[in-house]
Amino acid sequence: MPYAEIAIAVLGAFVLAWLADLVTGRRGLFATSLVSGVAAVCGWFLAIRVFAVGTMEGWTWVLWSLIASAGALAAFFLFRSKR
């Protein structure tokens, strides 16, 4: 399967968003998915284009993508406005 890394990165970002939504009391899966997806793309960009620590054929960028997603979700729940 030539695009296994991409599929796993997308699925991993969604699973992280879903888990974050479950842990915080189901406030909105769309918002957490959006934050997680954008952060995953940013993690990919940092790994591939900025720091050049990997290529699209490797698995390093997937790890960077998921770490960025988890960090952004933590920041999202830490700094979001609570009414």
Side-chain angles (χ1 to χ4, degrees):
M1 191 162 160
Y3 298 109
E5 300 94 356
I6 296 171
I8 289 174
V10 169
L11 186 64
F14 182 75
V15 167
L16 283 174
W18 179 67
L19 288 174
D21 188 46
L22 281 176
V23 169
T24 58
R26 293 194 146 296
R27 299 219 177 247
L29 185 59
F30 178 75
T32 56
S33 296
L34 183 64
V35 168
S36 182
V38 169
V41 170
C42 291
W44 166 83
F45 185 78
L46 285 173
I48 300 294
R49 304 294 281 167
V50 176
F51 296 119
V53 295
T55 63
M56 285 296 289
E57 288 83 27
W59 288 90
T60 307
W61 72 268
V62 176
L63 181 63
W64 276 67
S65 177
L66 295 178
I67 289 171
S69 178
L73 284 168
F76 174 67
F77 287 114
L78 186 63
F79 296 114
R80 72 180 176 168
S81 98
K82 296 177 180 127
R83 297 179 195 194

